Amino acid sequence: NAGVTQTPKFRVLKTGQSMTLLCAQDMNHEYMYWYRQDPGMGLRLIHYSVGEGTTAKGEVPDGYNVSRLKKQNFLLGLESAAPSQTSVYFCASSYSGRESSYNSPLHFGNGTRLTVT
Amino acid sequence: KNQVEQSPQSLIILEGKNCTLQCNYTVSPFSNLRWYKQDTGRGPVSLTIMTFSENTKSNGRYTATLDADTKQSSLHITASQLSDSASYICVVTPWGVTGGGNKLTFGTGTQLKVEL
């Protein structure tokens, strides 16, 4: 099992450009998440999905859009990149929210390092 | 606002030595507290989890303790190795939240470096 796979690993954008970050999981997890990690701050939730075809906003959703057309994939889009979106982006997945959180750790990908100039 | 604060922010120790990382939280009531290890350039990986009724949990050389009365947790690393160099993140799940990660509160992490 590959677990959670993120592509690309690195990307440099110019202000105003757009891009899509890809996340794929092979664990048949219902829940998927996009976080960003910035120096001196804890992981912050951007958007999440509780199942195929569903998405919801997290703590810092502005400037991002997501789609979950297939259960195993969760896409994060930046329509018009800004320097404030320079960050490391992590995708994660977990078992159904109906499971006890005790048994449902988050499984993270290895991140996408994005720089917006 | 629920918070999770970790200390120290960074720590350097010699290989073979022990160390203790601290986590203070204000999430209340809470369901469980989990420690993650994040190697440089990688995603976090779960180390230990404790419910509000557990006081200690071990995973090899890692031992986590929890004092729900004072809202403090610690992660003790015994006989450190170079491979322990990583960031250690404390994460708290509020009471009543099931497996969804959309309600978690993350600490900022302690950056540990183990040197020869």
Side-chain angles (χ1 to χ4, degrees):
Chain A
N1 285 349
V4 178
T5 303
Q6 292 184 234
T7 53
K9 290 183 171 55
F10 303 93
R11 185 72 185 268
V12 179
L13 288 179
K14 293 184 178 179
T15 298
Q17 289 185 320
S18 63
M19 77 163 295
T20 300
L21 281 65
L22 309 178
C23 177
Q25 54 95 3
D26 60 3
M27 296 170 283
N28 202 34
H29 286 169
E30 290 286 343
Y31 279 39
M32 296 188 74
Y33 319 85
W34 277 105
Y35 290 92
R36 60 178 289 173
Q37 187 174 45
D38 301 294
M41 303 186 74
L43 284 155
R44 292 184 292 169
L45 183 65
I46 304 171
H47 285 282
Y48 65 99
S49 169
V50 302
E52 181 179 322
T54 73
T55 63
K57 294 180 180 179
E59 180 186 357
V60 289
D62 294 342
Y64 306 95
N65 57 74
V66 288
S67 64
R68 182 107 181 261
L69 299 180
K70 293 183 178 180
K71 184 177 183 179
Q72 63 268 34
N73 297 333
F74 196 28
L75 280 59
L76 178 71
L78 285 74
E79 291 186 349
S80 180
S84 60
Q85 294 178 304
T86 293
S87 187
V88 181
Y89 292 86
F90 286 98
C91 176
S93 69
S94 68
Y95 290 112
S96 167
R98 293 185 292 277
E99 297 289 330
S100 164
S101 63
Y102 190 89
N103 299 316
S104 299
L106 297 179
H107 295 261
F108 286 89
N110 286 328
T112 295
R113 184 173 294 275
L114 175 66
T115 302
V116 182
T117 61
Chain B
K1 181 179 178 182
N2 289 331
Q3 289 187 319
V4 175
E5 296 184 352
Q6 295 186 240
S7 62
Q9 186 175 358
S10 63
L11 181 63
I12 301 175
I13 63 173
L14 294 177
E15 187 181 30
K17 298 297 186 183
N18 303 335
C19 68
T20 300
L21 314 180
Q22 300 290 344
C23 173
N24 295 339
Y25 60 92
T26 61
V27 179
S28 182
F30 87 105
S31 174
N32 59 70
L33 185 147
R34 194 182 293 270
W35 285 90
Y36 284 84
K37 179 187 179 188
Q38 183 177 17
D39 292 317
T40 300
R42 307 295 292 265
V45 175
S46 178
L47 275 179
T48 66
I49 182 169
M50 293 174 291
T51 69
F52 63 90
S53 62
E54 294 178 297
N55 299 119
T56 186
K57 183 68 68 74
S58 291
N59 179 359
R61 294 180 295 102
Y62 300 99
T63 299
T65 62
L66 175 64
D67 185 333
D69 291 332
T70 61
K71 296 185 175 58
Q72 295 180 325
S73 176
S74 63
L75 181 68
H76 186 73
I77 304 174
T78 304
S80 61
Q81 300 176 359
L82 296 179
S83 59
D84 293 330
S85 295
S87 178
Y88 292 85
I89 302 171
C90 176
V91 184
V92 179
T93 302
W95 177 260
V97 173
T98 52
N102 49 306
K103 301 263 191 315
L104 305 181
T105 302
F106 290 82
T108 56
T110 291
Q111 187 67 45
L112 174 65
K113 185 175 182 181
V114 180
E115 295 181 336
L116 290 172

